[in-house]
Amino acid sequence: MRKRLFLASLLVLAGCHTQPSKTAPSQLILWAWERPEDLRFAGTTEIALQTGFIELTGDTLKARGRYFPLKSNQAPATIVVHVQIDHAKPLRWSPQLRAQLAAAVLHYATLTKAPRVQLDFEVRKSEREILLDALTDLRRGLPNNTRLSMTALASWCMFDNWIEQAPVDEIVPMLFRMKRDGPAIEKSLADGGDFRNPRCRDALAISSDSLIARGPPGRRVYLFNPRSWTPEAFNQAQRAAEAWR
């Protein structure tokens, strides 16, 4: 059964090929997640800073700001708020909890002024409406000139169309920790393919500890590192992204 599903995935991906650009360079963005980060070595590379952590649990939420200061020669261009659901307790989504989440996300999203805000919120299939609600409320609360970004499972961009409803300016498919869909997606991209959903063709994300062989060029590439960034880890990820040209 699993073999048949994998082959079916490859057939879907076969129709997603496009001619890659030979000249357009990728724009790199360093994610500064919840750990001590000294990014002064990165020069003018754009920084996306996580400022808030929110966990939905039962009928309430827990929220806190960033624990560690960022050391950088420039202000972050993207503010990131991370949201997750505690699956140890049944989530009771209600208008009250939705309003609390909207207020918390907007609070951390506007602590530092930046031209772009990004919501990092991975959800199960049954929770997609919660993510769409959160994005709708965030879009409504942000200034009109602030661009809204969201991270996305790569499978959302390759196999599903529900993400079309997301009221965002940028969708960032994450090309790491892809689990069972990973081999099919990586093969499609390695063969010169692209994401089936055109809205997912402006940006992507890769991780320094599981770099893919090839991705579409000319994208905004968010770089993730599971530990604090070092010049060596940054240079390795940078070389990988530049090799796609």
Side-chain angles (χ1 to χ4, degrees):
M1 180 64 178
R2 296 178 65 183
K3 184 176 180 181
R4 291 200 300 270
L5 288 172
F6 179 74
L7 290 175
S9 296
L10 290 180
L11 289 174
V12 171
L13 293 169
C16 302
H17 288 252
T18 60
Q19 283 298 111
S21 167
K22 298 179 184 297
T23 57
S26 298
Q27 178 187 357
L28 301 181
I29 304 98
L30 275 173
W31 262 328
W33 286 99
E34 186 61 83
R35 55 184 68 92
E37 292 288 9
D38 185 345
L39 301 182
R40 289 174 290 187
F41 67 83
T44 59
T45 302
E46 185 176 320
I47 295 171
L49 175 68
Q50 180 189 349
T51 59
F53 175 94
I54 302 169
E55 183 176 55
L56 297 170
T57 175
D59 59 358
T60 187
L61 60 77
K62 303 173 183 177
R64 62 170 175 81
R66 183 182 182 86
Y67 284 149
F68 304 101
L70 170 69
K71 296 180 181 179
S72 172
N73 293 327
Q74 59 178 334
T78 301
I79 297 301
V80 185
V81 180
H82 173 79
V83 180
Q84 65 184 37
I85 296 174
D86 176 11
H87 291 108
K89 298 182 180 181
L91 181 66
R92 292 191 287 274
W93 190 239
S94 65
Q96 293 76 17
L97 186 55
R98 176 176 175 175
Q100 292 175 26
L101 177 61
V105 171
L106 191 60
H107 169 73
Y108 293 113
T110 56
L111 278 177
T112 301
K113 188 175 182 181
R116 180 179 285 102
V117 168
Q118 184 177 86
L119 185 67
D120 178 60
F121 190 180
E122 182 179 328
V123 295
R124 296 174 176 177
K125 187 174 183 178
S126 61
E127 300 161 344
R128 290 175 176 176
E129 286 301 322
I130 298 174
L131 173 54
L132 292 175
D133 286 348
L135 289 167
T136 298
D137 296 338
L138 180 56
R139 173 80 282 172
R140 185 180 298 119
L142 289 174
N144 291 334
N145 60 348
T146 300
R147 295 182 64 80
L148 180 56
S149 170
M150 66 174 289
T151 59
L153 299 183
S155 61
W156 296 351
C157 290
M158 197 67 84
F159 305 117
D160 294 311
N161 59 11
W162 70 273
I163 205 170
E164 287 287 339
Q165 304 171 58
V168 297
D169 303 297
E170 176 185 74
I171 298 174
V172 185
M174 296 178 288
L175 297 176
F176 54 96
R177 319 287 195 268
M178 291 186 286
K179 300 181 181 178
R180 67 178 183 180
D181 294 315
I185 293 173
E186 285 196 46
K187 184 180 187 307
S188 174
L189 298 179
D191 291 343
D194 209 333
F195 296 103
R196 186 172 65 176
N197 190 327
R199 294 196 66 196
C200 297
R201 296 178 184 174
D202 294 320
L204 54 83
I206 59 176
S207 176
S208 64
D209 66 340
S210 56
L211 295 169
I212 62 173
R214 181 179 180 182
R219 306 291 161 90
R220 286 171 49 82
V221 179
Y222 289 83
L223 304 179
F224 174 79
N225 195 41
R227 296 165 294 278
S228 297
W229 278 105
T230 64
E232 293 75 20
F234 171 63
N235 290 335
Q236 182 181 11
Q238 184 179 38
R239 287 194 297 269
E242 289 178 346
W244 302 343
R245 297 183 188 181

